[in-house]
Amino acid sequence: MISLGSQLMEKVKATNQNNDAPEESAEATVEVLDPEESKLMQEMMELGIFYGRSKSRANPKMKPFIVSNRSGFGVINLRKTYAALQKLDEVVADAVQKQGLILLVGTSPSVKGVIKAVANELGLPYVTERWLGGTLTNFDTISKRIKYFRKLKEDKESGELAKYTKKEQLKLERELFKLEKFFGGISNLDKIPVLVFVADLKNNELAAKEAKEVGVKVVGILNTDANPDLVDYGIPANDRNRKGMEFLVNRLKTAIQDARAKIPDIKEGQEQSAAIKAKTDNIIKKTQIDEQR
């Protein structure tokens, strides 16, 4: 049985042959790459990373990244996706070399799980709930809220809250639970990041705009309805497919790990950050259990 991906590539190839200045189809691209590169291209095809949004929703600025249309939906040029992933390695290596923070952002159902998992594993700050306006552009105010959140966590862990009445304790624990929702992921954001990775740009344009406003580089995954002008480095891809997003975010994870391996001094600090995050999660879980009682 011929896969949809193969059918699509045949369609793209036929379309290109009829153009005066044809582009190479994703299928043709695979043929000229070495075995390792061909394998990556094929994997992206099988994961459906080439599926864009409907033609009516497409952003005109994404035209250079669209190789064709099928049944009213844009077809993303995987050759450009592949090139963007190679560039990602360079961008990440530069950020790690500067020993700065990389902030991960992804709030859509298809990506929030892998964003949180990767961020916790690497000890990085992340946002998987609604982006709080001013997170970067009003960082001083946000920092104060983060410090308050940390203090409340520490008091909960040390038993300091026991000095309050049960009613007051319950109120503080409920506040801690609410603060965790918005500040838990960025509790280790103690300075402006050097790079922001936005996994679902269409849903988090504000994050990209704030980053650019304060001079922070932005990497974003671009579906065909996104605005590529909002990022410094775009990765054209289907951001609505969970498996495809897991593949792309894990590529980011590998790039970070490889870059860190070349700078041994970073390892200890990152392990400490990851340990702090794990400790925080345990405190919050205990708070939730206490509230249920």
Side-chain angles (χ1 to χ4, degrees):
M1 184 176 182
I2 300 176
S3 69
L4 180 57
S6 296
Q7 294 178 35
L8 182 56
M9 293 307 113
E10 288 295 337
K11 173 69 173 178
V12 173
K13 187 175 181 180
T15 301
N16 288 336
Q17 289 174 344
N18 291 329
N19 291 334
D20 292 331
E23 294 183 13
E24 290 183 87
S25 69
E27 184 181 67
T29 301
V30 173
E31 294 174 356
V32 299
L33 297 176
D34 64 41
E36 183 178 348
E37 294 169 325
S38 295
K39 181 180 179 181
L40 178 61
M41 292 285 289
Q42 186 62 40
E43 187 174 2
M44 289 194 292
M45 286 172 58
E46 292 173 354
L47 289 171
I49 289 175
F50 58 81
Y51 284 112
R53 301 303 303 274
S54 64
K55 186 176 180 180
S56 60
R57 292 187 177 186
N59 188 316
K61 294 180 180 179
M62 284 297 293
K63 188 175 180 180
F65 303 98
I66 300 174
V67 72
S68 182
N69 285 280
R70 178 183 172 86
S71 301
F73 288 84
V75 178
I76 294 169
N77 188 336
L78 289 183
R79 182 175 189 178
K80 295 193 174 183
T81 305
Y82 176 82
L85 291 177
Q86 306 309 303
K87 183 64 178 178
L88 176 66
D89 293 340
E90 298 176 17
V91 174
V92 167
D94 181 63
V96 172
Q97 191 171 33
K98 293 176 180 176
Q99 298 192 22
L101 289 175
I102 299 176
L103 174 61
L104 310 187
V105 181
T107 60
S108 62
S110 62
V111 75
K112 62 193 305 181
V114 67
I115 283 288
K116 182 176 182 179
V118 167
N120 281 330
E121 182 178 347
L122 300 178
L124 296 175
Y126 66 89
V127 174
T128 54
E129 298 298 331
R130 179 176 62 85
W131 176 269
L132 291 177
T135 296
L136 297 180
T137 53
N138 194 14
F139 188 69
D140 288 343
T141 299
I142 293 296
S143 292
K144 291 177 183 178
R145 295 299 292 165
I146 291 175
K147 289 177 181 178
Y148 174 70
F149 169 59
R150 286 175 174 172
K151 179 65 168 58
L152 195 56
K153 280 192 313 183
E154 291 171 0
D155 289 348
K156 169 68 177 178
E157 181 184 9
S158 65
E160 186 70 17
L161 298 185
K163 67 183 181 182
Y164 298 102
T165 65
K166 288 186 176 180
K167 184 177 181 180
E168 290 172 330
Q169 288 182 47
L170 182 59
K171 181 180 179 181
L172 289 171
E173 287 172 353
R174 285 176 175 170
E175 183 179 12
L176 178 61
F177 178 73
K178 291 179 180 178
L179 289 171
E180 167 64 19
K181 181 177 181 180
F182 293 108
F183 297 103
I186 58 173
S187 61
N188 55 345
L189 186 67
D190 52 10
K191 59 183 178 181
I192 294 288
V194 297
L195 183 68
V196 174
F197 177 86
V198 184
D200 46 356
L201 184 65
K202 186 64 177 178
N203 290 347
N204 288 290
E205 292 186 348
L206 181 58
K209 289 177 180 178
E210 286 197 18
K212 290 181 77 69
E213 186 173 339
V214 298
V216 175
K217 296 294 184 182
V218 182
V219 174
I221 294 179
L222 312 171
N223 208 325
T224 56
D225 59 347
N227 180 0
D229 291 346
L230 295 178
V231 302
D232 297 286
Y233 310 99
I235 304 172
N238 176 8
D239 64 355
R240 296 167 63 83
N241 180 287
R242 182 178 59 81
K243 290 185 178 180
M245 293 300 280
E246 288 176 352
F247 169 83
L248 294 172
V249 176
N250 278 303
R251 283 277 305 187
L252 170 70
K253 181 182 79 170
T254 299
I256 294 173
Q257 290 173 327
D258 289 347
R260 285 180 177 176
K262 298 175 182 177
I263 310 177
D265 292 342
I266 291 180
K267 185 177 181 182
E268 182 179 352
Q270 296 299 338
E271 287 179 345
Q272 291 176 352
S273 295
I276 291 172
K277 282 295 301 172
K279 198 173 184 180
T280 298
D281 290 341
N282 288 334
I283 295 171
I284 299 305
K285 287 179 182 178
K286 187 176 184 303
T287 299
Q288 293 172 340
I289 293 173
D290 290 343
E291 284 192 346
Q292 291 174 356
R293 291 175 180 171

